[in-house]
């Protein structure tokens, strides 16, 4: 008899873990597989974290996170997006957005509740729904429409297998596709969500890395605040992945329910990270902006270069990922990734990690130095010639 | 600053065609812009940043910061004196500054004597120079935004979601 629960045994595609382990053991790999910025946390933020340790800030904080930080976040949301959240009731500091997504599913789902999940999708979305006893209903998108979820698609699903669904998960700009949405597109999604009484779980962790238009939070749209649970954090915008600080803002009842679970499982987010996050919000804006221009150039370069190699690649509007099609090679995404790694020492993430419907794609991260991107492109080119 | 200048300021070896790809501009317009900048003196030179401490046998090269107090000239102000001073090849940089002195020089020489000699025989005797203070550089940590110590590579995993 197995000791592990069925739910957990069924999680995660098995091949991916082995592939990751293969990379960890290899030397001189050019990696396009990294899901974090390619610069260290800006010095003023690191310096603040060090200082807070020296000052003896090593204790628990309130379950919700330090009030000063929540206030700072509230004022950031007000100034940047004209959104009003009460720092006492409507904001919870989490250990990254990842924890927040798990919390929200456990807070809102009853066994069997349906949740709409677009595909390609960030790796944790399906598992957090399943672990919370929910049923993910997959909405497939593809390269032909730039991996965009459409209101029609949601509407149709809610009339069929997603009838009575409780929530819709959305991540924009999206990991792994880089796809984002304009205000008009979001308004249309908002309308259909209202029609079908869907809560929207909106993961906007890459908001600062939006290139072609201004990022618009779903919660900032008229009449949407009560329906949207907004997630953001410090990992991408301030290169603070290792600090593990995110937050959720949403209706007080949902935040209170999430806080209940958070206090029993996590107690609170680490205080050193919270101190650093405060500093980031106080004066960290410039470093993000500087990197954004750089990422914008790399995006233009890599999309052009991949298309020139014959790998169809759409122009994403944000984040630091592209999601080209490898269909013409006739290989599965895992075989392609393994061959490329073994023969040319270039690492990327097979599309299948982001959903069963994504096996014709691979995820390439351009959060790497321009020189590395150039070298990687040339290696991919020579791989395509010889295979 | 124009994006083309920004890219070249970071890496002068990036070609016009690569800049065109990065910025979405046409190759022709990038080439024309660079030519214009070269012609009108916006782009003065393409240089390589070298850490001289790494070159064997180069350890004796001496640099000094020299503060110079100057009596400004009627009509031409400080410019006339500055021009006479910066024309010496030993002077690598020359700035007019506010505060207790007027010109700040960076002077380079093969050894401490060359620099001392420059100050004693060239700089101090100039008629408008009222006084100098020389600071020899002991160690360079960062120059023009570039940290000279080789930085450790980022400690990222090769692959992550």
């Amino acid at each position: 008899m197995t000791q592990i629960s069925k739910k957990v045994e069924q999680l995660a595609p098995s091949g991916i873990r082995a592939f990751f382990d293969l990379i960890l053991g290899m030397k001189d790999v050019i990696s396009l597989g990294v899901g974090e910025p390619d610069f260290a946390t800006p010095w003023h933020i690191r310096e603040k974290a060090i200082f807070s340790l020296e000052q003896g800030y090593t204790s628990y904080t309130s379950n919700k996170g330090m009030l000063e930080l929540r206030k700072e976040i509230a004022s950031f949301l007000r100034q940047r997006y004209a959104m009003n959240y009460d720092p006492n009731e409507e904001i919870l500091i989490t250990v990254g957005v990842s924890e927040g997504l798990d919390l929200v599913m456990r807070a809102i789902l009853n066994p069997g509740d349906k949740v709409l999940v677009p595909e390609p999708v960030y790796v944790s979305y399906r598992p957090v729904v399943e672990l919370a006893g929910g049923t993910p209903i997959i909405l497939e998108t593809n390269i032909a429409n730039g991996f965009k979820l459409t209101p029609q698609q949601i509407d149709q699903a809610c009339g069929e297998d997603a009838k009575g669904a409780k929530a819709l998960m959305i991540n924009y700009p999206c990991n792994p596709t880089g796809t984002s949405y304009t205000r008009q597109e979001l308004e249309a999604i908002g309308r259909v969500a209202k029609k079908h009484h869907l809560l929207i779980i909106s993961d906007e962790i890459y908001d600062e890395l939006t290139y072609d238009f201004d990022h618009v939070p779903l919660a900032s749209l008229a009449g949407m605040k009560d329906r949207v649970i907004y997630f953001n954090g410090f990992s991408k915008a301030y290169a603070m992945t290792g600090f593990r600080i995110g937050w959720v803002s949403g209706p007080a009842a949902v935040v209170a329910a999430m806080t209940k679970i958070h206090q029993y499982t996590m107690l609170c987010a680490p205080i050193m990270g919270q101190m650093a996050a405060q500093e980031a919000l106080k004066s960290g804006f410039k470093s993000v902006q500087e990197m954004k221009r750089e990422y914008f150039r790399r995006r233009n370069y890599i999309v052009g270069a991949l298309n020139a190699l014959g790998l169809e690649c759409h122009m994403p509007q944000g984040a630091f990922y592209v999601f080209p099609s490898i269909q013409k090679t006739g290989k599965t995404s895992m075989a392609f990734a393994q061959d490329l790694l073994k023969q040319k020492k270039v690492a990327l993430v097979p599309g299948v990690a982001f959903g069963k419907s994504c096996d014709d794609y691979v995820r390439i991260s351009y959060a790497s130095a321009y020189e590395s991107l150039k070298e990687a492109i040339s290696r991919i080119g020579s791989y395509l010639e010889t295979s | 600053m124009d994006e083309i200048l920004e890219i070249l300021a970071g890496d002068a070896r990036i070609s016009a065609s690569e800049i065109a790809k990065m910025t979405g501009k046409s190759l022709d317009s990038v080439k024309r812009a660079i030519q214009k900048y070269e012609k009108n003196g916006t782009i003065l030179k393409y240089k390589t940043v070298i850490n001289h401490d790494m070159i064997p046998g180069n350890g004796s090269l001496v640099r000094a910061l020299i503060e110079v107090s100057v009596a400004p000239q009627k009509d031409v102000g400080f410019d006339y004196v500055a021009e006479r001073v910066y024309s010496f090849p030993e002077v690598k940089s020359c700035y007019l500054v506010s505060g207790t002195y007027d010109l700040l020089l960076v002077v380079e020489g093969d050894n401490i004597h060359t620099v001392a000699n420059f100050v004693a025989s060239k700089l101090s005797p100039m008629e408008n120079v009222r006084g100098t203070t020389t600071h020899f550089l002991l160690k360079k940590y960062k120059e023009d935004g570039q940290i000279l110590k080789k930085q450790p590579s980022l400690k990222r995993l090769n692959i992550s979601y």
Side-chain angles (χ1 to χ4, degrees):
Chain A
M1 190 191 74
T2 171
Q3 294 175 314
I4 308 304
S5 89
K6 274 195 188 125
K7 226 194 255 177
V8 174
E9 288 238 292
Q10 285 159 6
L11 282 182
S14 47
I16 294 285
R17 200 67 262 164
F19 175 65
F20 277 26
D21 290 343
L22 182 67
I23 295 168
L24 290 178
M26 282 179 80
K27 282 212 166 107
D28 304 322
V29 170
I30 295 188
S31 181
L32 307 178
V34 189
E36 60 184 320
D38 63 330
F39 61 106
T41 312
W43 174 245
H44 67 100
I45 299 173
R46 280 188 276 162
E47 206 264 344
K48 174 72 186 209
I50 296 164
F51 186 67
S52 73
L53 279 179
E54 285 176 350
Q55 291 288 298
Y57 284 101
T58 55
S59 60
Y60 295 131
T61 70
S62 120
N63 292 136
K64 286 180 182 164
M66 298 166 80
L67 182 60
E68 295 81 356
L69 176 58
R70 282 181 278 138
K71 281 182 176 163
E72 205 68 59
I73 288 169
S75 97
F76 165 78
L77 292 172
R78 197 164 42 244
Q79 282 166 19
R80 184 117 174 83
Y81 295 124
M83 297 200 287
N84 285 302
Y85 283 99
D86 175 1
N88 289 302
E89 305 285 339
E90 298 176 320
I91 295 176
L92 167 68
I93 310 297
T94 57
V95 179
V97 168
S98 294
E99 188 213 350
L101 292 173
D102 177 43
L103 293 179
V104 74
M105 286 307 156
R106 290 200 271 167
I108 66 170
L109 295 183
N110 288 308
D113 278 352
K114 294 171 187 168
V115 178
L116 294 165
V117 178
E119 214 172 83
V121 65
Y122 181 66
V123 292
S124 81
Y125 282 31
R126 277 187 76 143
V128 295
V129 174
E130 285 165 353
L131 283 170
T135 308
I137 306 289
I138 301 298
L139 302 176
E140 288 181 16
T141 64
N142 59 54
I143 200 166
N145 71 342
F147 302 104
K148 281 199 187 190
L149 197 58
T150 63
Q152 295 77 8
Q153 200 178 3
I154 300 168
D155 196 35
Q156 195 187 346
C158 287
E160 295 164 7
D161 52 345
K163 209 173 180 63
K166 185 136 198 186
L168 161 72
M169 296 182 91
I170 188 167
N171 167 219
Y172 69 99
C174 172
N175 178 3
T177 61
T179 295
S180 194
Y181 298 85
T182 63
R183 176 179 286 274
Q184 287 75 13
E185 290 166 335
L186 292 168
E187 281 168 348
I189 289 173
R191 276 194 295 275
V192 73
K194 223 174 218 176
K195 178 180 166 193
H196 295 287
H197 311 290
L198 295 169
L199 282 172
I200 301 182
I201 313 298
S202 191
D203 172 358
E204 302 177 29
I205 183 80
Y206 290 96
D207 65 339
E208 295 287 3
L209 294 171
T210 304
Y211 306 113
D212 301 328
F213 41 78
D214 286 338
H215 180 87
V216 178
L218 266 161
S220 72
L221 299 175
M224 290 301 289
K225 194 188 160 192
D226 293 343
R227 188 169 296 284
V228 177
I229 303 146
Y230 169 94
F231 294 81
N232 206 336
F234 297 85
S235 295
K236 317 296 172 172
Y238 302 95
M240 287 174 64
T241 48
F243 285 89
R244 310 301 311 125
I245 301 293
W247 83 82
V248 52
S249 32
V254 178
V255 170
M258 291 172 69
T259 306
K260 254 194 215 173
I261 309 167
H262 174 78
Q263 74 179 340
Y264 294 134
T265 52
M266 198 60 68
L267 213 160
C268 66
I271 189 169
M272 186 188 64
Q274 293 191 52
M275 301 287 287
Q278 265 188 67
E279 171 65 23
L281 279 183
K282 274 184 187 154
S283 51
F285 198 64
K286 200 162 163 255
S287 41
V288 186
Q289 292 298 78
E290 276 167 14
M291 281 318 288
K292 184 174 149 180
R293 285 208 298 282
E294 184 63 37
Y295 286 142
F296 172 76
R297 288 177 203 140
R298 293 184 201 166
R299 176 197 72 162
N300 296 345
Y301 167 76
I302 198 124
V303 170
L306 287 168
N307 279 308
L309 289 179
L311 297 179
E312 185 190 359
C313 182
H314 90 297
M315 180 66 84
Q317 300 85 19
F320 38 62
Y321 307 108
V322 290
F323 208 59
S325 166
I326 51 150
Q327 195 180 22
K328 69 158 207 171
T329 65
K331 293 196 166 83
T332 66
S333 60
M334 180 64 84
F336 180 90
Q338 277 176 345
D339 284 359
L340 187 64
L341 179 66
K342 284 180 192 152
Q343 293 175 30
K344 301 290 172 184
K345 292 199 167 187
V346 174
L348 37 71
V349 181
V352 69
F354 306 99
K356 288 197 191 91
S357 69
C358 313
D359 211 12
D360 283 342
Y361 306 97
V362 291
R363 189 194 75 175
I364 287 179
S365 159
Y366 52 88
S368 279
Y370 176 66
E371 291 296 318
S372 314
L373 292 181
K374 242 170 60 174
E375 173 63 20
I377 286 290
S378 114
R379 291 190 194 182
I380 293 173
S382 89
Y383 167 74
L384 289 174
E385 271 167 28
T386 53
S387 69
Chain B
M1 188 159 69
D2 179 2
E3 209 179 358
I4 296 173
L5 291 176
E6 201 178 297
I7 293 169
L8 285 173
D11 184 351
R13 289 180 309 170
I14 291 188
S15 70
S17 76
E18 286 172 285
I19 295 175
K21 276 182 206 154
M22 288 175 177
T23 57
K25 293 179 172 131
S26 75
L27 176 59
D28 240 31
S29 75
V30 173
K31 277 185 175 163
R32 261 184 283 124
I34 293 175
Q35 271 165 13
K36 185 189 83 190
Y37 288 134
E38 288 170 347
K39 220 171 174 177
N40 71 13
T42 308
I43 295 176
L44 288 169
K45 214 175 206 179
Y46 299 92
K47 295 209 306 185
T48 303
V49 181
I50 289 172
N51 184 357
H52 289 274
D53 293 347
M54 297 300 291
I55 302 171
N58 218 16
S60 62
L61 203 68
V62 167
R63 279 191 160 220
L65 297 178
I66 304 178
E67 306 168 1
V68 188
S69 294
V70 172
Q73 291 282 94
K74 194 170 165 35
D75 295 336
V76 288
F78 290 104
D79 294 355
Y80 170 75
V81 189
E83 194 176 331
R84 296 197 53 185
V85 170
Y86 69 59
S87 296
F88 287 106
E90 294 93 329
V91 176
K92 297 296 167 190
S93 305
C94 175
Y95 311 95
L96 178 65
V97 296
S98 64
T100 53
Y101 56 95
D102 306 300
L103 294 179
L104 176 64
L105 311 181
V106 178
V107 170
E108 201 173 84
D110 287 340
N111 55 52
I112 195 165
H113 302 295
T114 341
V115 176
N117 200 33
F118 169 77
V119 175
S121 65
K122 304 268 172 50
L123 191 58
S124 298
M126 286 172 74
E127 51 180 332
N128 299 302
V129 170
R130 290 196 294 218
T132 64
T133 309
T134 302
H135 308 271
F136 282 102
L137 289 191
L138 302 181
K139 186 171 181 180
K140 267 198 283 186
Y141 294 101
K142 187 177 182 182
E143 202 165 61
D144 292 333
Q146 186 67 46
I147 295 169
L148 295 176
K149 191 166 91 174
K150 200 161 166 26
Q151 294 297 292
S153 54
L154 273 178
K155 296 167 184 68
R156 297 191 299 176
L157 296 174
N158 262 335
I159 200 144
S160 60
Y161 292 122

